[in-house]
Amino acid sequence: MLQKRIIVCLDVKNGRTTKGIKFQNNIDIGDPVAMAELYYHQGVDELVFYDITASTEKRSIMIDVVRRVAEKIFIPFSVGGGIGSLQDMKQVIMAGAEKVSVNSLAVKKPEIITEGALHFGSQCIVVGMDVKKDADMESGYRIVIHGGRTPVDLDALSWAKEVERRGAGEIVLNSIDADGTKDGYELNLTRMISESVGIPVVASGGAGIPQHLIDVFKEGKADAALIASMVHLDGFTVGEIKKEIEKAGIPVRM
Amino acid sequence: MKIGVVDYKAGNLKSVETALKYLKANFIISGNSRDLAGCGKIIFPGVGEALSAMNVLNKSGLAAFMKNSFASDIPILGICLGSQIVLDTSDENNAVCLGLVPGRAVRFTKTSGLKIPHMGWNQVEIIRDHYIFNGVPDNSSFYFVHSYYPAPQSSNDVVAVTEYGKTFSSVFTSRNLVAVQFHPEKSGETGLQMLLNFIKH
């Protein structure tokens, strides 16, 4: 039986892992390569690296991180942030990433999804969606970009269907409302999107305790769950989290 | 013994390369059958679409090279797309494949709740002894990404099975070829163990 995936997300700035709230007050929490190795040995299923370095000239630092991670860990990982073109996608894939993730770029230039899928295969193309509750939208949720700061005229549900149609292989669904709260994932949103598309949906935003992951798998129908501060700062190990999930009767890789 | 990794422009071979380097294997990656001719073992990886892969293999002479290698009992490890196109045909754009092993690649049928591609970690149940599983516990999990699955004609060829909507052959063998549908190079320490088994055999 296909197992639910636990994915650890690392925000990388100038070659260091950082943790901050909405891209502000970032604190240095370690070397991304050493952290990737640690989580790999704890049994994480996949990793995501988001490059939050502001300047494009420091792009090579991130590529170097990707290359060093690929030499040490033998599980899939994706890279997002700062992807502006097919050439950027190629660079991270050639450095050893399994997938590339696009977010704001996909909204501004949706054809990049199709072009990426044609060049590298759908399985390589992840679309990140930042979503905010909005009663004016048909599904009740609106797409926002630039880390949640800029609302756009896109309904979250119709956008999810569109990215699938354009060839995305996976959706990372981040709830801006739940992000940073540690109160749990937004279950209604996750279930609505996951049940409406035929590609895997990764839930993101709001995880604080292992029960939140159990909830998002059972009630949210997520295929995978993204975590960050739980393991970076709050002292949980991936192994402990997986044990809790397994105890709840959910198939995970032990 | 030198391993030849066949590059037929189907997907990215970076992760196979880094895994083999990590395992200190003696290998080359090439799309030229003359370079590959001196190798004692062959890894046949690949991600992508069957018909365009077969076009590249036929035009480059690599199809003939694969058939000769198989017939002369050179150990071959097929991975992902490389485990499908060793069969007679693929339902993917009705590709005529290498025909090393009787059988075809079949598309998963869309049923409720079943997402395609089959992507993520899934368990592999060993049903027949094979050196490729030395030191690998039964029902270990491996990383899969695929929309078609291999269906070898003879059940005698099946080494291991996996369940996704239905039970399919995730590992099969014929003569000195062993074909795995998942990605051992992305399946953590158990995956590396399998690659090591192939390197050392």
Side-chain angles (χ1 to χ4, degrees):
Chain A
M1 192 193 257
L2 186 65
Q3 293 153 327
K4 300 289 187 183
R5 285 173 283 153
I6 314 299
I7 304 176
V8 169
C9 177
L10 296 98
D11 287 340
V12 180
K13 189 175 186 180
N14 299 331
R16 300 285 296 176
T17 313
T18 67
K19 185 69 197 167
I21 297 156
K22 309 274 188 278
F23 302 102
Q24 284 158 21
N25 308 320
N26 285 296
I27 50 163
D28 186 323
I29 55 170
D31 169 30
V33 182
M35 291 173 77
E37 268 190 285
L38 174 73
Y39 299 135
Y40 172 67
H41 290 292
Q42 286 179 3
V44 75
D45 298 313
E46 210 168 308
L47 292 163
V48 177
F49 297 88
Y50 278 115
D51 184 10
I52 58 167
T53 310
S55 60
T56 43
E57 66 265 28
K58 286 183 175 158
R59 192 84 192 124
S60 59
I61 301 174
M62 187 62 186
I63 297 300
D64 182 56
V65 168
V66 174
R67 199 171 291 121
R68 286 187 293 136
V69 167
E71 284 166 5
K72 298 242 166 78
I73 67 155
F74 299 94
I75 53 170
F77 67 92
S78 63
V79 174
I83 305 286
S85 63
L86 272 187
Q87 188 52 36
D88 290 343
M89 288 183 171
K90 188 171 181 186
Q91 222 184 2
V92 298
I93 289 172
M94 291 316 289
E98 162 80 1
K99 311 173 185 179
V100 285
S101 180
V102 285
N103 189 324
S104 304
L105 176 67
V107 171
K108 288 182 226 159
K109 203 184 152 204
E111 59 276 12
I112 192 76
I113 303 170
T114 319
E115 288 168 13
L118 282 174
H119 272 79
F120 311 110
S122 278
Q123 81 288 343
C124 285
I125 309 300
V126 180
V127 173
M129 293 174 38
D130 285 333
V131 174
K132 217 169 158 39
K133 264 196 193 124
D134 190 330
D136 291 344
M137 304 311 276
E138 203 184 328
S139 71
Y141 295 93
R142 182 194 288 275
I143 296 293
V144 289
I145 56 172
H146 301 133
R149 285 166 295 169
T150 314
V152 290
D153 191 23
L154 269 178
D155 180 89
L157 181 58
S158 57
W159 178 235
K161 289 178 179 168
E162 184 177 344
V163 304
E164 178 184 21
R165 192 165 39 79
R166 286 181 179 270
E170 185 163 75
I171 290 171
V172 174
L173 180 65
N174 184 45
S175 163
I176 294 292
D177 304 303
D179 197 17
T181 62
K182 299 188 185 180
D183 286 339
Y185 296 93
E186 197 172 326
L187 302 178
N188 289 331
L189 169 70
T190 311
R191 186 175 53 247
M192 174 181 72
I193 302 290
S194 188
E195 286 181 341
S196 309
V197 295
I199 53 176
V201 171
V202 182
S204 164
I209 52 169
Q211 184 62 41
H212 293 152
L213 285 91
I214 295 169
D215 294 341
V216 85
F217 291 138
K218 279 197 169 160
E219 291 168 45
K221 310 287 178 202
D223 298 284
L226 205 80
I227 53 173
S229 45
M230 274 180 81
V231 285
H232 297 331
L233 301 170
D234 301 344
F236 288 101
T237 67
V238 175
E240 285 163 6
I241 297 168
K242 282 188 156 184
K243 255 183 216 146
E244 292 294 317
I245 297 170
E246 193 190 36
K247 260 195 262 168
I250 296 164
V252 281
R253 179 178 70 111
M254 295 308 290
Chain B
M1 190 184 286
K2 194 186 254 181
I3 298 173
V5 179
V6 184
D7 181 3
Y8 54 101
K9 306 295 165 216
N12 170 21
L13 300 181
K14 190 73 200 170
S15 48
V16 173
E17 184 187 342
T18 47
L20 290 177
K21 269 189 194 157
Y22 180 83
L23 295 169
K24 299 189 169 44
N26 175 16
F27 71 100
I28 57 161
I29 299 180
S30 175
N32 185 328
S33 48
R34 269 170 304 180
D35 297 342
L36 295 165
C39 296
K41 287 181 186 179
I42 291 163
I43 294 182
F44 190 54
V47 173
E49 190 271 317
L51 188 61
S52 39
M54 281 312 302
N55 285 337
V56 174
L57 288 166
N58 286 326
K59 276 187 195 141
S60 60
L62 287 168
F65 167 77
M66 288 303 297
K67 287 175 191 172
N68 289 337
S69 304
F70 177 76
S72 27
D73 281 331
I74 291 178
I76 299 171
L77 173 63
I79 297 174
C80 194
L81 180 63
S83 80
Q84 296 176 7
I85 59 179
V86 295
L87 299 167
D88 293 323
T89 57
S90 170
D91 289 359
E92 191 171 22
N93 295 319
N94 296 314
V96 175
C97 299
L98 292 170
L100 310 184
V101 184
R104 61 187 253 259
V106 184
R107 189 171 169 87
F108 283 112
T109 24
K110 234 178 184 147
T111 50
S112 91
L114 198 70
K115 294 188 175 184
I116 300 171
H118 171 219
M119 178 157 92
W121 296 83
N122 203 335
Q123 284 172 301
V124 170
E125 184 193 345
I126 305 170
I127 58 169
R128 182 164 293 116
D129 281 343
H130 194 280
Y131 76 84
I132 204 78
F133 280 112
N134 286 349
V136 176
D138 195 11
N139 293 314
S140 290
S141 299
F142 293 89
Y143 189 76
F144 289 82
V145 187
H146 61 127
S147 302
Y148 294 79
Y149 61 89
Q153 214 170 72
S154 166
S155 59
N156 293 330
D157 295 336
V158 180
V159 175
V161 293
T162 294
E163 153 79 43
Y164 190 62
K166 61 178 309 280
T167 302
F168 69 93
S169 312
S170 43
V171 182
F172 63 93
T173 185
S174 177
R175 297 173 72 153
N176 272 345
L177 171 136
V178 59
V180 301
Q181 174 60 67
F182 48 81
H183 290 274
E185 76 280 12
K186 284 179 208 131
S187 295
E189 301 297 311
T190 10
L192 293 178
Q193 179 65 49
M194 281 188 104
L195 287 176
L196 198 61
N197 289 342
F198 181 73
I199 294 166
K200 294 209 159 158
H201 182 66

